[in-house]
Amino acid sequence: FRVLSLQGEFPDCEAMQEVRPGMWQRVRIELEFESRNFQKHGHRAEACDVIVCWRHNWPGCPKKIQVVELGRLAKRIG
């Protein structure tokens, strides 16, 4: 990801994501500690492409939203 902007309101971040080598796509990212907070906060799934969270614990997360679970990634690296 290459961050374009950060803000306090939904979505928290706009970025570019490399989807293939040399091909970038603009994405809207919401930052949450737990993925289920996305729903608790009343965010609209159609206005978000990616949730970046520490823990992915939302079984009903829409399939169209990519989830990046940092806690799982940290375990692999450590």
Side-chain angles (χ1 to χ4, degrees), residues 47-69:
C48 183
D49 304 299
V50 181
I51 298 172
V52 174
C53 59
W54 185 255
R55 183 177 322 141
H56 182 25
N57 60 351
W58 184 16
C61 182
K63 299 291 183 200
K64 76 162 221 81
I65 298 179
Q66 175 187 354
V67 178
V68 177
E69 186 178 13

Side-chain angles (χ1 to χ4, degrees), residues 14-75:
E14 279 198 50
M16 298 299 287
Q17 180 180 19
E18 191 170 25
V19 292
R20 288 195 306 254
M23 179 179 248
W24 294 82
Q25 176 179 318
R26 184 180 293 264
V27 291
R28 299 160 296 177
I29 301 172
E30 184 61 15
L31 308 171
E32 298 285 0
F33 177 70
E34 295 182 325
S35 59
R36 68 179 174 191
N37 290 340
F38 183 95
Q39 184 179 35
K40 285 182 179 180
H41 296 154
H43 298 316
R44 299 180 340 270
E46 65 276 1
C48 183
D49 304 299
V50 181
I51 298 172
V52 174
C53 59
W54 185 255
R55 183 177 322 141
H56 182 25
N57 60 351
W58 184 16
C61 182
K63 299 291 183 200
K64 76 162 221 81
I65 298 179
Q66 175 187 354
V67 178
V68 177
E69 186 178 13
L70 298 177
R72 188 176 299 254
L73 292 173
K75 287 179 185 175

